[in-house]
Structure formats: C-alpha cells, structure tokens
Amino acid sequence: MKGEPSMQADAYQVAGDHYRSEIQPWNAMRAWFTEDEFRGFLIGNAIKYLSRAGKKNGLLKEDILKCRHYLDKLLDELDE
C-alpha cells in the first residue's frame, strides 16, 4: 500500500546466487506481460511456493521465504 515500507524485492535473492542471472526472469516477464498478467504471474508463483511449502526436501522456511519474495515484488509493483 502507498506509504508502507517496501522490501524492494529486486534488492535480495532467496535460496542462493545460482538463481541470479544477468536478466532476472521476472524482469523479462515484466517486459513481455501486461500489468495484469505480470501481477497474476507474481501471485501464481507465491501460491506455488506456499502450496508446496515443506514438501520438497523438507525446506519449509525456504519455500515460505520464496513465497514472500514474490509477494514483496507484487507490493513493489503496486507501489509504482
């Protein structure tokens, strides 16, 4: 929401630097999708990580952090 502090999702990475690339996938998606499609992409990925939290290698906290990362990015988009 306007006026609330943002986590600025582009400033951090969850689960290791091997996920970093010259072009972040969500930046490519932002360029290719409409605003509504991009927001849907972010929401879908947050749901994905939340729905499988702890089921893949028992990494509950990591999945929750990945979910939050997508939600932080969505909040950043809503603040623009």
Side-chain angles (χ1 to χ4, degrees):
M1 310 303 140
K2 299 280 184 206
E4 291 183 16
S6 171
M7 290 294 294
Q8 297 181 344
D10 289 329
Y12 74 96
Q13 179 66 44
V14 177
D17 288 336
H18 64 282
Y19 284 103
R20 285 205 174 272
S21 61
E22 190 170 316
I23 299 173
Q24 283 290 80
W26 67 28
N27 291 333
M29 298 299 184
R30 184 71 186 100
W32 296 330
F33 290 172
T34 67
E35 184 176 303
D36 286 341
E37 289 170 337
F38 183 61
R39 289 175 179 178
F41 163 77
L42 296 172
I43 291 167
N45 275 287
I47 291 169
K48 173 186 71 174
Y49 283 113
L50 188 59
S51 69
R52 72 178 190 195
K55 295 177 183 170
K56 185 179 175 186
N57 301 322
L59 299 174
L60 176 64
K61 185 173 183 177
E62 184 172 294
D63 288 332
I64 298 296
L65 289 170
K66 288 179 182 180
C67 173
R68 184 173 74 183
H69 197 207
Y70 278 95
L71 293 175
D72 286 341
K73 181 63 175 175
L74 179 59
L75 288 170
D76 290 346
E77 289 295 311
L78 295 173
D79 283 343
E80 289 184 356

